[in-house]
């Protein structure tokens, strides 16, 4: 499926670029982002008549919101592992402790 490969590499990568920095919280923003994937998956051959969630399942895709949530959980747990020395700090992250007010 050339269309799916192009979507994943050219469109989805732009939609997810730096997502931890701008992770949307408003439903209207989430729906607007999701509408891009909704429109592109409908253009894939044989998918036009399927409901959005059925298209995602058939194409083995997750919603963009779900992908952002999974990435945020992964990156948070990775930071925790670095902070507590459970994994190497190859990127030389430094943590500073500040008192809470």
């Amino acid at each position: 499926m050339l269309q799916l490969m192009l979507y994943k590499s050219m469109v989805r990568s732009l939609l997810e670029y730096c997502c931890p920095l701008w992770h949307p919280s408003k439903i209207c923003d989430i729906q607007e982002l999701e509408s891009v994937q909704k429109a592109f998956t409908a253009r894939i051959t044989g998918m036009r008549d399927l409901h959005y969630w059925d298209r995602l399942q058939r194409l083995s895709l997750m919603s963009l919101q779900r992908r952002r949530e999974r990435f945020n959980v992964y990156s948070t747990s990775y930071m925790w592992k670095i902070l507590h020395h459970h994994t190497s700090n190859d990127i030389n992250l430094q943590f500073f402790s500040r008192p809470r007010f």
Side-chain angles (χ1 to χ4, degrees), residues 48-96:
R48 180 171 301 280
D49 296 329
L50 295 175
H51 187 270
Y52 175 59
W53 297 104
D54 295 331
R55 289 194 305 261
L56 292 182
Q57 187 175 20
R58 185 102 30 109
L59 297 168
S60 300
L61 294 174
M62 286 186 273
S63 70
L64 296 174
Q65 174 66 17
R66 180 71 176 129
R67 286 179 57 84
R68 282 191 304 276
E69 289 169 352
R70 286 185 65 179
F71 180 78
N72 287 339
V73 167
Y74 171 77
S75 59
T76 303
S77 67
Y78 187 69
M79 294 292 197
W80 185 90
K81 288 177 183 180
I82 291 174
L83 179 64
H84 295 286
H85 309 290
H86 293 289
T87 191
S88 62
N89 188 358
D90 297 339
I91 55 177
N92 200 22
L93 280 176
Q94 297 179 1
F95 298 95
F96 299 99

